Amino acid sequence: MHRVTLTSEDDFDGWREAVRKLVAADVPPEQVVWVVGSETGELFGEENVVSAAEPVKLSVPRAFMDLARFAILNGDRERFALLHALLWRLARKSIGIGDRTDPLIGRIEGLATAVRRDIHKMRAFLRFREVEDHGGVRHVAWHEPEHHIVRANAAFFVDRFAAMRWSILTPRLSIHWDGTRLFEGPAARRADAPSADQAEEMWKTYYASIFNPARVKIGAMLNEMPRKYWKNMPETALIPELIAGAQAREATMVTNARSKPVADPAATWAKLRDEAADCRRCDLHRCASRTVFGEGPSDAAMMFVGEQPGDQEDLAGRPFVGPAGQIFDRALAESGIDRTAAYVTNAVKHFKFELRGKRRIHERPNAGEIAACRWWIEQELALVRPRITVALGATAARSLFGTAVTVSSARGALRQLPDGGAAVVTVHPSFLLRLPDEARRIEEYDKFVADLRNAACAMKALPAST
């Protein structure tokens, strides 16, 4: 058994150097124990027994290195061994870095995603407060990261606040910028950071004045701003009162829209589609080719809501035209539903993806993106006023019901939407594409067709919207 000691929890360079030697020397992952700093390892044999007289040359996919740089910052104690295991398999070509169905790749991607999210939260929710020290004014912030991201995030704050003297205190370590030099300090306590400064009352007044439900997406804010960060942010003291007022106004608007028929549905739908084409309610518009709005009759009795456009939908500008769309069309035909008579749309109107070489790989929308796009779904519901709405997958269900819904718990039952409409929940057609076992795929497809057939029967029994 070999033991490799890294200098710190985020010692990517040390891990990379060691793992290259291990893989080149044909040392399997199960024979290596990774420890950090002062962790004891006497039971695990000699220290760093693998050596090389010359630099080790190992061909590593760029995508693996990009993934590893984030995953290694995760707090999971197994991350070093997991990455070693993946590199070991890549070197022996028993797996491809693009094989997202592999459990090992899936777990490591999950680690990397959590780190990216934590990096974003540090940038979004950190608040500086002024203090006086021997050098004059210093801005001090307290933050509690979930992972080992402080050093990796330091350059962002140096670039953004280059002219300011600042310190960021965390329970893991502290970083300080004096205007020319970045240096580290020991871990800190919450009590070491200031609790308030003179600028906060002015900031709260300004924040209250700009809090507008048309610009601040309440659901997105609550999902993307965890309550653990509220105590560090002066404006959060105002949030409960502001939300209560905004939600009341928004609920009234939706109820009124649902209860009153639209005078000219075709013209209204065209206007809505034109407005959506320039949507900037979240950042997904920056990379997607276009907004993919819903399509179908504005008086359709059935509405189908999917997750988001895929690669082909993004290029074509139409929902459900790719591989999942082909399964969807076949299932509709077998269940006796005419797609041209239904309204088909997605919970999120822009394609979210991860670029891997020239390929755009689908990435699931987060809660904030779903909430930001919910406004469009509400307008579509108010315009079409379907007898029944079918949520295709958990993302669509979350968008329609405004809360997390699992397909397994909600599937098949007739449920009431917040605006009073009727809905059923089933799987997304892409779920069927991901099933590796053919027998299971056939079984689940039959269940999907049955769900659609039942939804059509329930629709016929419901009264038309008036």
Side-chain angles (χ1 to χ4, degrees):
M1 186 69 73
H2 306 305
R3 177 166 64 97
V4 179
T5 301
L6 303 175
T7 60
S8 63
E9 296 281 4
D10 58 353
D11 183 10
F12 176 77
D13 291 336
W15 173 85
R16 179 176 59 181
E17 180 182 357
V19 80
R20 283 178 177 272
K21 294 178 180 179
L22 291 166
V23 173
D26 208 29
V27 177
E30 60 269 20
Q31 293 184 12
V32 180
V33 173
W34 299 86
V35 297
V36 176
S38 59
E39 293 181 12
T40 57
E42 289 78 2
L43 298 178
F44 303 118
E46 298 181 31
E47 173 74 17
N48 298 336
V49 296
V50 178
S51 60
E54 299 180 358
V56 175
K57 294 182 180 179
L58 183 65
S59 178
V60 179
R62 175 65 180 272
F64 169 79
M65 297 304 296
D66 293 341
L67 181 65
R69 286 184 186 277
F70 284 103
I72 215 161
L73 303 179
N74 196 282
D76 192 318
R77 294 179 64 87
E78 297 182 21
R79 62 195 184 281
F80 304 116
L82 291 171
L83 287 165
H84 181 185
L86 177 54
L87 185 59
W88 171 270
R89 293 177 62 188
L90 288 171
R92 282 152 182 75
K93 304 196 183 303
S94 64
I95 189 175
I97 191 63
D99 186 2
R100 301 190 72 177
T101 62
D102 187 275
L104 177 60
I105 292 181
R107 182 173 177 186
I108 293 174
E109 286 188 335
L111 300 182
T113 297
V115 168
R116 294 187 188 100
R117 187 180 300 118
D118 205 27
I119 287 174
H120 164 72
K121 288 176 180 177
M122 182 175 178
R123 296 176 181 181
F125 305 139
L126 185 141
R127 292 292 184 271
F128 287 106
R129 294 180 168 98
E130 289 188 7
V131 299
E132 292 283 342
D133 65 9
H134 61 277
V137 174
R138 174 172 288 274
H139 294 79
V140 180
W142 170 257
H143 190 69
E144 299 172 56
E146 297 178 10
H147 303 288
H148 306 287
I149 63 167
V150 179
R151 292 189 185 94
N153 234 356
F156 170 85
F157 291 99
V158 170
D159 291 341
R160 188 169 184 179
F161 303 108
M164 193 171 80
R165 297 173 65 247
W166 52 260
S167 297
I168 299 176
L169 312 182
T170 84
R172 300 180 185 274
L173 63 102
S174 300
I175 53 175
H176 310 275
W177 173 254
D178 63 6
T180 58
R181 182 174 63 99
L182 183 72
F183 55 98
E184 294 183 12
R189 301 169 303 162
R190 177 68 183 85
D192 296 330
S195 58
D197 64 16
Q198 295 179 350
E200 289 197 1
E201 286 304 317
M202 180 170 26
W203 167 245
K204 287 194 287 187
T205 300
Y206 170 72
Y207 184 79
S209 72
I210 66 168
F211 191 94
N212 185 317
R215 287 178 286 173
V216 180
K217 312 305 176 292
I218 296 170
M221 181 182 67
L222 292 178
N223 284 295
E224 291 301 303
M225 188 192 297
R227 292 181 182 270
K228 65 178 285 187
Y229 301 115
W230 285 27
K231 60 182 176 293
N232 303 328
M233 303 169 67
E235 65 268 31
T236 52
L238 305 174
I239 286 177
E241 180 181 352
L242 294 173
I243 287 177
Q247 287 181 328
R249 292 192 297 274
E250 207 169 64
T252 301
M253 292 168 60
V254 171
T255 301
N256 291 341
R258 181 77 180 183
S259 61
K260 296 179 181 179
V262 177
D264 188 348
T268 303
W269 185 86
K271 182 178 179 181
L272 194 65
R273 182 186 177 94
D274 289 344
E275 291 178 357
D278 194 38
C279 179
R280 300 291 186 271
R281 298 177 73 85
C282 74
D283 287 338
L284 294 186
H285 72 276
R286 299 181 184 278
C287 297
S289 301
R290 73 198 76 215
T291 302
V292 180
F293 207 64
E295 67 176 19
S298 57
D299 59 350
M302 295 190 77
M303 176 185 286
F304 293 92
V305 181
E307 180 191 75
Q308 67 161 356
D311 182 75
Q312 293 188 35
E313 288 80 4
D314 176 71
L315 297 174
R318 297 182 55 214
F320 285 93
V321 296
Q326 295 172 18
I327 291 180
F328 179 57
D329 286 345
R330 181 158 61 93
L332 286 178
E334 292 185 23
S335 59
I337 299 172
D338 180 4
R339 172 166 174 167
T340 63
Y343 187 87
V344 182
T345 189
N346 281 300
V348 175
K349 310 301 189 193
H350 285 108
F351 180 31
K352 182 178 182 180
F353 61 89
E354 178 182 342
L355 194 61
R356 294 186 184 174
K358 295 183 178 181
R359 297 178 61 204
R360 302 191 300 176
I361 306 299
H362 166 278
E363 189 174 351
R364 185 186 297 274
N366 62 38
E369 291 154 352
I370 296 168
C373 222
R374 193 180 181 206
W375 190 87
W376 297 112
I377 289 291
E378 291 172 348
Q379 305 311 304
E380 289 172 295
L381 284 169
L383 173 65
V384 179
R385 307 175 65 199
R387 294 188 191 183
I388 196 165
T389 303
V390 181
L392 301 170
T395 296
R398 181 173 194 134
S399 173
L400 289 168
F401 293 101
T403 187
V405 176
T406 60
V407 174
S408 59
S409 64
R411 187 172 186 175
L414 191 65
R415 300 166 65 93
Q416 187 177 45
L417 293 173
D419 68 356
V424 295
V425 177
T426 185
V427 298
H428 193 282
S430 63
F431 163 73
L432 305 173
L433 289 173
R434 296 192 298 268
L435 295 174
D437 181 71
E438 184 177 1
R440 171 93 189 283
R441 189 163 56 250
I442 293 172
E443 178 186 357
E444 290 296 335
Y445 175 79
D446 290 341
K447 290 181 181 178
F448 180 54
V449 171
D451 286 344
L452 298 183
R453 190 176 292 123
N454 291 337
C457 291
M459 180 270 295
K460 294 176 182 178
L462 292 169
S465 300
T466 58

